[in-house]
Amino acid sequence: MHPQENDTPITQQIRHATTQKETKTMEVLCLTIVSSLLGTLDHQCGSLQGGAGNNGSIASLIRQSIFDQMLKHRNDANCPAKGFYTYDAFIAAAAAFTRRGFATTGDVDTRKRELAAFFAQTSHETTGGWKTAPDGPNAWGYCFLEEQGDPSDYCVSSSQYPCAPGEKYYGRGPFQIAYNYNYGPAGEAIGVDLLKRPELVATDAVVSFKTALWFWMTPQSPKPSCHEVITGEWTPLAADRTAGRSPGFGVITNLVNGGVECGKNTTDANAEDRIGFYKRYCDLLGVSYGDHLDCNEQDPFA
């Protein structure tokens, strides 16, 4: 169910409870209905903890209308992912990661900035945009669902995450995860056997979003997670400072594809595209960009 824009009897009850300072009544109402109304009551229930409250918080930060504007052409007839990436699927997947802090860490601006950064990076990975595309190249995120061409099986020898016979582990989903050594741990984290059923990343939208959120939230030691960087939880080590890595969106690009796009002393075209998505989404969400957007002078992570 999407957030409701109009005043409803339930929101009238919340308003009455607030007006009368009936705090306990308000909390009971919030706890029982926030999970179904998602973002509508977040301004009243923001202090409540738990999965339902946090789920509602994310939905209030990025409503259906904003989601549709951000991913404006995802359902274009020429996009292979047409009809797949839905708002409801994202909200359902995000609910599984709220207790780990996705879009629930820090103040409102920090949470919005995390959403903008997440969708910017994944939009670049799935973009169908081009320089003269209608509404600009950064309005075409989430156009693709699977790696194009004739990809290999992306299977490498692994005793921990062995490939299933006949299965392929090429790029799928918002982050285009690839290789059995990514499908395996991603599946473990979200409770789905993706080694045996990797196709679920391209057939189940909630699973697909969950794999992207797993990648976003999971550090790959000694690297931080994308989540830790955008929320300010990452403190650069001396080696990071020497390598020019300062907290900001640029470090996330470095984590995702630094070996190709970073350290060139000029902005790589792909890195520039990521920044373009990020700025557009920040503008739509009404939040500032923060510092250090590019990774031009950053050494890639080892």
Side-chain angles (χ1 to χ4, degrees):
M1 182 175 181
H2 300 163
Q4 304 296 305
E5 300 296 338
N6 298 323
D7 203 18
T8 66
I10 293 175
T11 55
Q12 290 173 8
Q13 292 177 57
I14 291 290
R15 185 177 295 106
H16 174 73
T18 305
T19 302
Q20 300 300 317
K21 301 184 183 301
E22 296 172 358
T23 305
K24 294 299 182 182
T25 301
M26 184 189 74
E27 292 181 355
V28 170
L29 287 168
C30 286
L31 285 171
T32 55
I33 62 184
V34 70
S35 60
S36 62
L37 288 181
L38 297 178
T40 308
L41 308 179
D42 178 62
H43 63 290
Q44 299 290 355
C45 308
S47 63
L48 299 178
Q49 302 298 314
N54 286 337
N55 186 17
S57 295
I58 293 177
S60 71
L61 291 173
I62 180 169
R63 297 181 183 276
Q64 171 88 61
S65 58
I66 296 296
F67 181 89
D68 290 341
Q69 185 66 17
M70 288 168 63
L71 309 181
K72 191 170 184 177
H73 291 286
R74 75 187 188 280
N75 292 326
D76 185 271
N78 294 314
C79 286
K82 178 183 178 181
F84 184 76
Y85 293 114
T86 67
Y87 176 77
D88 288 342
F90 168 69
I91 292 298
F97 289 85
T98 54
R99 290 186 181 276
R100 290 183 57 184
F102 177 72
T104 59
T105 299
D107 60 19
V108 170
D109 281 355
T110 300
R111 292 159 58 198
K112 286 183 176 180
R113 206 170 285 121
E114 178 166 23
L115 287 167
F118 171 81
F119 278 105
Q121 294 289 345
T122 51
S123 289
H124 172 77
E125 297 297 324
T126 56
T127 185
W130 64 100
K131 189 174 182 179
T132 59
D135 301 306
N138 301 131
W140 288 77
Y142 283 65
C143 184
F144 285 92
L145 179 56
E146 298 180 284
E147 184 176 341
Q148 298 301 288
D150 184 22
S152 68
D153 60 12
Y154 285 83
C155 174
V156 297
S157 178
S158 172
S159 58
Q160 187 174 9
Y161 300 113
C163 301
E167 299 295 346
K168 292 187 176 183
Y169 304 96
Y170 55 78
R172 297 181 177 95
F175 258 122
Q176 295 286 285
I177 66 165
Y179 289 101
N180 50 306
Y181 56 72
N182 280 320
Y183 276 80
E188 286 180 349
I190 67 175
V192 179
D193 191 346
L194 294 180
L195 287 175
K196 290 183 178 178
R197 299 195 63 191
E199 78 282 355
L200 287 175
V201 183
T203 59
D204 186 315
V206 175
V207 168
S208 196
F209 272 118
K210 282 183 176 181
T211 63
L213 289 163
W214 165 81
F215 180 88
W216 184 263
M217 300 297 296
T218 304
Q220 298 178 11
S221 184
K223 304 175 188 179
S225 68
C226 301
H227 167 76
E228 289 170 324
V229 172
I230 201 64
T231 59
E233 296 180 325
W234 173 64
T235 300
L237 301 174
D240 294 307
R241 291 191 292 271
T242 300
R245 296 189 288 262
S246 298
F249 184 76
V251 169
I252 298 175
T253 298
N254 201 331
L255 290 169
V256 175
N257 200 27
V260 175
E261 300 177 24
C262 299
K264 297 183 175 183
N265 296 317
T266 185
T267 305
D268 176 89
N270 287 309
E272 186 67 31
D273 189 59
R274 297 178 195 273
I275 294 170
F277 276 114
Y278 178 64
K279 287 183 174 180
R280 180 171 179 270
Y281 295 162
C282 283
D283 290 344
L284 286 170
L285 290 167
V287 66
S288 62
Y289 309 146
D291 299 322
H292 309 298
L293 302 189
D294 64 68
C295 58
N296 300 352
E297 299 180 4
Q298 296 180 17
D299 293 340
F301 285 94

